[in-house]
Structure formats: structure tokens, C-alpha cells
Amino acid sequence: MEETGERETVEGTIKSVVYHNEENGYTVLHVELPSEFELARAKEIAIVGKAQAVWEGEDVRATGRWVNDKVHGRQFRADDITCIAPKSIVGIERYLASGLIKGIGKVLARRIVETFGEETLHVLQFQSARLEEVPKLGKAKIRQIRESWHANETMRENMIFGQTYGISIAKMTKIVRKYGPDAIAIVKADPYRLCRDIWGIGFATADKIALSTGIPKDSPLRARASISHTLEQEAEEGGHCWTLENDLLLHANELTGIPVETLSAALEEELKAGSVVAESAASEPDAAVAVRRIYLRSLFQAERRTASRVVRILGTRASFRPIMPAPAIEWWEKQAGFHLAAEQSAALKRCLESKFSIITGGPGVGKTTIIRALVDIYSARKLKVVLAAPTGRAAKRMMESVGAPAQTIHRLLKWNPVTNRFSFDEDEPLEGDVFIFDETSMIDIRLADDLLAAVPPAAVVVWVGDTDQLPSVGAGSVLGDFIRSGSIATSRLDKIFRQDSAGLIVVNAHHVNAGEPLEVRHGDTDFYFVAIRDPQECLKRAIEFMTARIPRKFGLDPLQDVQVLTPMRRSLLGTESLNVELQKALNPTGDAIIRGGTTFRVGDRVMQLRNNYDKDVYNGDVGFVKSVDPSSRTMVVLFDGRPVGYDPGDLDELVLAYATTIHKSQGSEYPAVVVMIHTQHYVMLERNLLYTAITRGKKLVVLLGVPYAVNRAIETNTVRERRTGLADRIVAALGAREEAES
């Protein structure tokens, strides 16, 4: 692109908005020039730059330089675009007729301008009662025009405010939806509310607004906000429920530069306000003096309630009539037509004898067989069995393998948008005698709290999961803490049963888990390792395997049956890059919506990034785009055949899902997976990551990457313990109950 002139300023009327990116403000305008402009011979020019909300018919002033674009020809590349009220009669009429003001079309726009002339905009802004002077304009129409004009002025102020601080129109729409017409005043009074209230807006954006509006760098408001934000980050990024006080203060100091003394005072204010909770941790190793664990209040309460609910279920043995295991197991084996192995029989026996039990182990060790036996045995005794799992895919797999209805935990609990909470809880428990939950390694402390609140105390609970998989995305380590408490009957299965003569998926999953090298065979098998060192070649082969080789050899649908997995979002072999290239290969054309650099088209596979209870879609749910409307920037996505609408403010909750991270694939199982393991992913290479990836494949696993990277993942068994207190709370609560009963 070649610059052709000095910096200058041009003015004109927007004839059309060719393109406007709501995320970054990038705009392409066709602008009609006034007759006195020296380049009036051009009549219309293209202006390219960043602008706030713009509409057809408005006048703009742009400062910049002329450039020659190789594709689009001569353009005015603007450093600054400012919207100004139209001055001419023609411009005012076009502005009003643009559809910006509800109730005003072309004919009425002409009548209004004929009545007020160049004063039209002044009348609408300050003397709207004078609209009665317009011929044949009724009171209802006048009221509609006045309301729309002032709503539009408020919206423009909101959008300009948002883009001044790097907040996209889509996110600003969410802010206005949350706070109402006084959004700007509310945000200016406490910008840090945005971190807590608006998904997708972080501390950096809120801090930028705060500092620019005059809030001092060492203000108590900023210090207190940094305390809560640091705890939120610890929960989101590390899965921790608590942080040691000294670590919290140091991290907040690194974030803000505020002196530790000021932050310490801010922490005390947060403690008084009840937003965070301190708990003595004098037993910390090597602690010379008593130290404090600092919790977000919500996580502290979730841990306490979960522990008490576990104890409540364990403590209702008076109403629990355990099934005699020996005859029940003998009956089931006769019904099933085969005998359980010794450790399976022992696990089933332990479940039948226990009020609350856990089954854990890797793939192919018989967890599903035990679930099926429990369902059959309890159902034969006319007891109601409830099956659920954290994700839709996990629930569907549970239903197919067990042969009984299953659903997601969120749908089991039923979110009520009116009360903004689940319909089933401690006061309104679920109906059922036996509750079996699968893929429980994915359940975080908040979901465990909600789930166990809704389980009737008299019910039997079975918690099934694999402790060697990646931990839950949310805070806590519920499955591990339950086991570590030593209070819940636990069966750990390790003998492989699900294995055919050519099958290597299960075998290699257990090899990885044991820190052993992968086993690879020549010829037809269900596990392939393709060594590729060059990242570009690795990317090319991933596309080739998903789009051509796997569908051709195994007869699988690339969109429905094949999933690419990778450790990271960024880098050439991250999800962002892979999704762009896979979309080009599988779904390259058609009507589209562009949001933040991502193009969504009809037929795209997409994933939900957060729990949206109003839409009844949850973090990790995968769907397919059914329709898009580029003009309104809305689209409809099918999740398990159910249509869900998305408006522009919701699009940031979706990403393309031809490729997804291994973390996001938890709880899902696919007919075929293509797994990328490369030195580009060095910092992520750990045993449980590779183990989780391999166990996502049901019929086929194709591993692409560098042998060294695979070996490093297998050898790196770093156990990142999450800072939680649930296990200790369960033990303490049980001890307190036993002491009270004695």
C-alpha cells in the first residue's frame, strides 16, 4: 500500500457503511463529498479507519492520508474519524430517513425537514414538543420519535464511551443490558464492577477506565478490587479455592504496584465487607507463625456446604437398607450372562453396601459395567435410579453404554431464569432413590455444592470418575478430595477388560498413565503415531487426516465424527490457527458473520465457552450453526437438535470447534481424534494431558507430532496440587457429628 500525500482533513456525508467491526471499530465508509471540496470530481470516496458507532446520513470529519490500495484502489486512510451532525437540508433528511430513528421513514423525514429546515436536529434534541407543528403527525407517533431519539443519543454516548476504552460494541451492549440507561455513570463510579458482572471484561480494561476517570493508583477502591481479582485469577487459572495471605498480597502488588501495606489494609476492608473470608492455617509446613488462607466468599461457602452435604448423606443410614451383595451380584451375573472379575465384584459389593461410594479408574477397566449392574439391581427392586454427567456428550455416552436415560447435571437441576438459581435444591430436592454421576473429575466445587444440595439425604450416591484425567476447569478438586478424605467408600480399578486383538487405544492410555512408552503396531489398528517435526507439515497433515484420509479409510463424517485436539489455543498448532485452516477446508463459503477475527458460517461446528443458563447451553457444549443473518449479526446454533439464538452481544461466547483444546474435550468421547503433540506445546506437555487426549478417542486415535514431545509428556508427571480444604472439612464435619452422637 503506497501513501500518496500529506496528512489532511476531509468532510462529507456517509452514503453507506460498507463494513464496521464491532470488536475493534475498524470501519469502511463510502462518503459523499460536498460540491465545494477540491476533489468533488470524485463525488464519492472510500474512508478506512476506526470509528465509534456510525450511521448512514451522518456527516463525518476524517484526518489522515490518501493511499493506493493494490486491491481497492485509492482510499483515504484515516487516523481519526469523528461523526458530526449533518449541516445541509439534504444531509439531515437522509440522516433521519436512514432507519436510525424508529417511526421515521423517507416520507416523514421529508415532512419534518420541510417544517424545521436547518433547525431540525436542534428541535429533536431540545424542543421535541414542537413536533406537533409537523402536519398529520399524531401524538403516538410523536411519542415514539421522541423516545427513539433520546434512546439513540444515550446509545451513542454508551458506544463512544466503550470504544474510548477498548470495549467492543457487543460488550458495551451487555453492559447497558446489565446496568440500564445509567450504565456510564455506574461504570465511572466503580469501573471494577465490570470484572465481577460482565463476562469477558477483565481487570486490565476496568483498571484503564478507573485510572483515566481520575481514580488514584493507590486508592482503596483499586486496592480492594485487586484483592478480589487476584483471588478470581487463582481460581480460574490454577483451580485454587484459597491463597495464602502473603502470596495474595505479593501478587496484587505485582499487578498494581500498590504498596503491600495499603493492600493489607484493603484486605481487611474486604474481610469486613464479607466478600472474602480468612481461615487460620497454622499447620502450614514450616510456618513460624500462624498464617491465613484467604478465600473468595463463594468458594469458602461452597466448600463448607459440600462437606456438610456429604456428611448428611453418609449420616442417614437409618433409612438406608443395603442390598445383600452376594445374591444381588449372583442374580445380575445370571441376567448378564457372564461373571465379573474379582476386583469388579468387590467394587460392586462395596457400592451396594455403601450410602456414598466412589468408583475410579482408567478406560477399559469396567466402570461402565459396574454402573450397568447397579442400575439393573436397583431397578429390579423398584427403586428410582437417576443418571447424570457434566456434559451433553458424557451424558449421551452414559445413556448409550448403560441402556438407561441420562442427562446433564445442569438440565437435571433445571435453571430458573426468574429466580436466577437452580429449581432443585435443599428445599426442593430431586426425586430419586439412587443417584449415579459419571465423569466426576470434571465437577468443580461450585457445581458439587449445587448438585449435592438437590440430592435427597436418604438417597444412595455413586460418584464415578478418573482421577488421572485433567482436573475440572472450575475451582476445586472434588473427586480427589472425596477420596483423600478417606470417608467415602472407594474402589480403584486398574485391570484392563475392554480390549480387542487389534486395539491399542486403551493399552496406550494405560502405558502413558504408568509412564511407559507408547506401543505402536504396523497395519490396521485403532492407534497411529505419525512423527512430524516441521510445524507447517504437521498442520497440513492434520487437515489431510481430518478432511480426507480418515473419512476415506474409516467411513467417518469429518464434521460429526472427527475431532482435532491440541494442548493450546495459540501458536501455529493451536486451536485458533487450526480452526481457520480446517474451516477453509471443510466450510469455505456462504453467508457469514465476522466477530473479533472469527468467521461464522452455516454448517460450522462451534463450542460454547461459558455457562449461559438463560439459553440452557453450557461451557463445552458443541453445536452446529443452522443460520446466520449478516445484516443483524445474529445466528442460530443447533445443540443436539435444539435451536439456540445468538445476538451480537452473545457471539463472544462461541468459538469454532473443528479443533479444540484437550482441556475443553474433557467429558467428551469422539469416534476419531487427531491429537497434536509438538515441541511448540512444550510448557503444556504433561502425562495427564496426553492421557486425557488419548482417552477421548473411541474407535481411532491419530497422534501427530515430535517423538521428543510425546516422550516428555509421558515422563513429566508433575502433580499440580490445587489449594482446597474440602477433604479436611469432610473429616472435621464427620468428627463433629460422631462427637455429638457419642
Side-chain angles (χ1 to χ4, degrees), residues 6 12 27 54 168 213 390 410 476 483 582 617 639:
E6 298 295 323
T27 305
V54 288
S168 69
T213 54
H410 290 97
I483 295 171
L582 287 166
V617 289
F639 290 96

Side-chain angles (χ1 to χ4, degrees), residues 220 224 262-276:
R224 290 180 63 176
T262 304
L263 290 168
S264 183
L267 172 58
E268 295 307 316
E269 290 300 313
E270 288 289 277
L271 290 167
K272 288 178 185 176
S275 55
V276 303

